[in-house]
Amino acid sequence: MFLYIRLFNESFAFAFNALRNNKLRTFLSLLGVTIGIFSIIAVLAAVDSLDKQIKSQLNSLDSNTMYLASFSFGPTDVPRWKREQFDQISFNEYKYLKSNLSGAEDVAFQLFVKRENIRYESELVSSVNTVVVSNEFTDIQVLEFDKGRFYTESESNAGRPVVVIGSEIAKSLFGEFEPIGKKVRLYGQKFTVIGVVKKQGSGLFGDSNDVSIFLPANYVRNRFGDNNKNFSNIVIIKPKEDADIEGLKAEISQVLRNKRGLKPDEIDSFFVTVIAGLQDTIDGIIGTMNLIGWIISGFSLLVGGFGIANIMFVSVKERTNLIGIQKSLGAKNRFILFQFLFEAVILAVVGGLIGLLLVWLGTLAGNSFSDDFEFILSLKNMLIGFLIASFIGLISGVIPALSASRLDPVEAIRTGI
């Protein structure tokens, strides 16, 4: 045991001397490992941060929540020219579904509209994300309020000019003043502010609630009509707790097909997307990002591995005489082998630790510049980086270490003279 501790100390001393005496050569050799570890761990950290942010936002929705639309939220086999012929989901169809779906707990109607400007007295916020939905929306997607409330069913059905605003919108328009009950201007008309949504943070699926406003779908329908080509309609469906998801999908399809009078040989002229399926798609994208990161970073690690192998061959050449002396004094082959293997691993780990340090500094810088998105460097990813660096050092040092351990002591001493 003490032998290997001494071996480790000597190897560390040799590695340190190599770093100190051959700074440029060592720097160039370790650069590949540093860049490779930095690239891999940076990608893993970024993807983990993105994954956490996505899941935290999807937590506000039941994973079985469904989106019914004339377009698909995910990959589809239906060609684009065919999809463009599909009719939009109408408000009447939403009401029909709401009355006839036995497996649905809540059904909401949403219009995708263009961004609008919102004004309060002399204050103006331009190009605001405008969420036009029926009152059931807040029963499907959990909204927490700093102040006020969401609009009621009667306000929604009547299309009253009321609006719920995000925290950043409230701050921009009213500063420290009370926003509830104030009149803001939208669509050339005054709207009463009835609620302020609690601060959420950055959004990954478009704008977050902080920079959004919510107003009744019937207001926009009454003002612009149901056949406005600038709007896209969807229906959001929350299943009952004990509902069979595939059964509900089939029920939605059957009810809407009957409503539209589709023949048995005609395909569905609409798409039903389940959040869980969307999560699977996102997981696939994240997996692909990880794979691409590993492939790109692998080239840097390969170059770094060759660099370490090169520096180890040079180290063996420079210390041939010393190896001969050690062997003539009784040092066994495995002692020489482990000595150079430890040195290669230590050199690679130094490069890996530098890469990890750069990632850590990057996460600190990212978090200091962004209040909404949190960058994470987990202990798991740090361990992965350390193990990869150690493995690269081990693989890169095997051949040089074997060549050193097999040197004939007499020839080694003679060569070094």
Side-chain angles (χ1 to χ4, degrees):
M1 182 64 181
F2 290 106
L3 176 64
Y4 289 104
I5 293 175
R6 180 185 172 189
L7 178 60
F8 178 82
N9 289 333
E10 290 183 0
S11 298
F12 185 82
F14 280 127
F16 180 78
N17 287 330
L19 287 169
R20 185 182 60 184
N21 298 330
N22 303 283
K23 295 182 180 64
L24 180 60
R25 185 180 72 189
T26 302
F27 170 76
L28 294 176
S29 299
L30 298 183
L31 188 60
V33 174
T34 299
I35 293 175
I37 295 297
F38 172 81
S39 301
I40 288 177
I41 304 307
V43 168
L44 292 177
V47 171
D48 283 352
S49 304
L50 186 65
D51 189 41
K52 180 182 177 182
Q53 190 82 349
I54 290 172
K55 288 178 179 177
S56 68
Q57 293 193 20
L58 289 179
N59 283 340
S60 63
L61 286 171
D62 188 322
S63 62
N64 293 322
T65 298
M66 302 178 182
Y67 290 96
L68 172 65
S70 60
F71 53 89
S72 176
F73 286 90
T76 176
D77 295 331
V78 181
R80 181 177 178 180
W81 66 268
K82 187 70 174 178
R83 299 197 303 268
E84 290 176 347
Q85 296 177 352
F86 293 167
D87 292 331
Q88 294 246 40
I89 306 297
S90 68
F91 188 79
N92 286 336
E93 288 173 335
Y94 146 71
K95 298 293 286 185
Y96 186 77
L97 287 165
K98 186 176 180 180
S99 301
N100 290 277
L101 289 179
S102 60
E105 181 177 334
D106 289 297
V107 181
F109 184 75
Q110 180 172 359
L111 286 165
F112 289 152
V113 301
K114 67 178 184 178
R115 294 170 176 269
E116 290 295 329
N117 300 333
I118 183 170
R119 179 187 297 274
Y120 174 70
E121 295 180 349
S122 61
E123 300 296 333
L124 173 69
V125 181
S126 302
S127 191
V128 176
N129 181 47
T130 306
V131 184
V132 180
V133 288
S134 60
N135 62 286
E136 301 93 347
F137 180 80
T138 191
D139 296 321
I140 298 175
Q141 179 172 324
V142 178
L143 293 178
E144 297 181 4
F145 290 85
D146 268 339
K147 299 175 181 178
R149 58 177 176 82
F150 206 69
Y151 38 83
T152 63
E153 183 177 3
S154 61
E155 290 170 331
S156 178
N157 291 338
R160 296 285 173 79
V162 292
V163 64
V164 175
I165 61 178
S167 60
E168 291 298 321
I169 302 297
K171 183 178 179 181
S172 298
L173 292 178
F174 304 104
E176 300 301 322
F177 294 102
E178 174 61 49
I180 302 300
K182 297 293 192 301
K183 303 288 185 180
V184 296
R185 295 193 69 85
L186 277 165
Y187 298 110
Q189 183 177 343
K190 290 183 177 180
F191 280 69
T192 303
V193 178
I194 61 171
V196 178
V197 179
K198 185 177 291 185
K199 185 174 180 62
Q200 175 193 36
S202 62
L204 297 174
F205 305 102
D207 295 293
S208 78
N209 291 337
D210 300 346
V211 292
S212 300
I213 58 175
F214 302 81
L215 57 147
N218 275 355
Y219 173 84
V220 175
R221 289 183 57 247
N222 294 340
R223 184 176 178 88
F224 297 102
D226 280 324
N227 299 316
N228 195 308
K229 295 183 179 180
N230 294 321
F231 303 154
S232 296
N233 310 343
I234 69 168
V235 171
I236 311 172
I237 302 163
K238 180 181 179 180
K240 290 180 178 178
E241 188 172 346
D242 58 346
D244 174 44
I245 302 307
E246 291 302 318
L248 180 55
K249 284 182 67 176
E251 184 185 8
I252 293 169
S253 178
Q254 188 58 50
V255 169
L256 193 51
R257 286 181 66 88
N258 291 340
K259 177 68 174 174
R260 292 191 167 187
L262 295 177
K263 298 177 181 179
D265 60 340
E266 293 181 306
I267 66 170
D268 290 343
S269 56
F270 49 84
F271 297 93
V272 181
T273 305
V274 184
I275 286 291
L278 187 59
Q279 286 179 323
D280 292 340
T281 302
I282 292 170
D283 288 342
I285 294 172
I286 288 176
T288 302
M289 291 171 61
N290 270 328
L291 178 61
I292 293 173
W294 277 94
I295 292 174
I296 294 174
S297 305
F299 288 106
S300 296
L301 289 174
L302 186 64
V303 173
F306 282 126
I308 290 177
N310 177 65
I311 198 174
M312 292 309 301
F313 275 120
V314 172
S315 182
V316 170
K317 184 69 175 177
E318 290 177 345
R319 299 197 329 242
T320 300
N321 180 259
L322 179 59
I323 294 170
I325 294 172
Q326 286 178 321
K327 298 190 79 172
S328 66
L329 294 175
K332 296 183 179 181
N333 286 352
R334 68 170 181 273
F335 182 88
I336 304 298
L337 175 69
F338 285 136
Q339 185 182 85
F340 282 92
L341 274 181
F342 280 159
E343 184 173 338
V345 170
I346 290 169
L347 290 173
V349 167
V350 169
L353 291 177
I354 295 172
L356 287 173
L357 176 64
L358 293 176
V359 177
W360 179 68
L361 293 175
T363 58
L364 291 180
N367 287 328
S368 65
F369 285 108
S370 175
D371 295 329
D372 297 328
F373 191 91
E374 181 184 5
F375 293 91
I376 303 168
L377 178 57
S378 67
L379 181 61
K380 174 187 172 183
N381 287 337
M382 294 177 67
L383 182 61
I384 288 174
F386 180 82
L387 292 177
I388 291 175
S390 301
F391 180 74
I392 292 297
L394 187 64
I395 296 300
S396 302
V398 165
I399 297 178
L402 282 173
S403 67
S405 67
R406 292 172 179 174
L407 287 174
D408 180 83
V410 177
E411 289 297 324
I413 294 173
R414 184 182 300 168
T415 303
I417 298 175

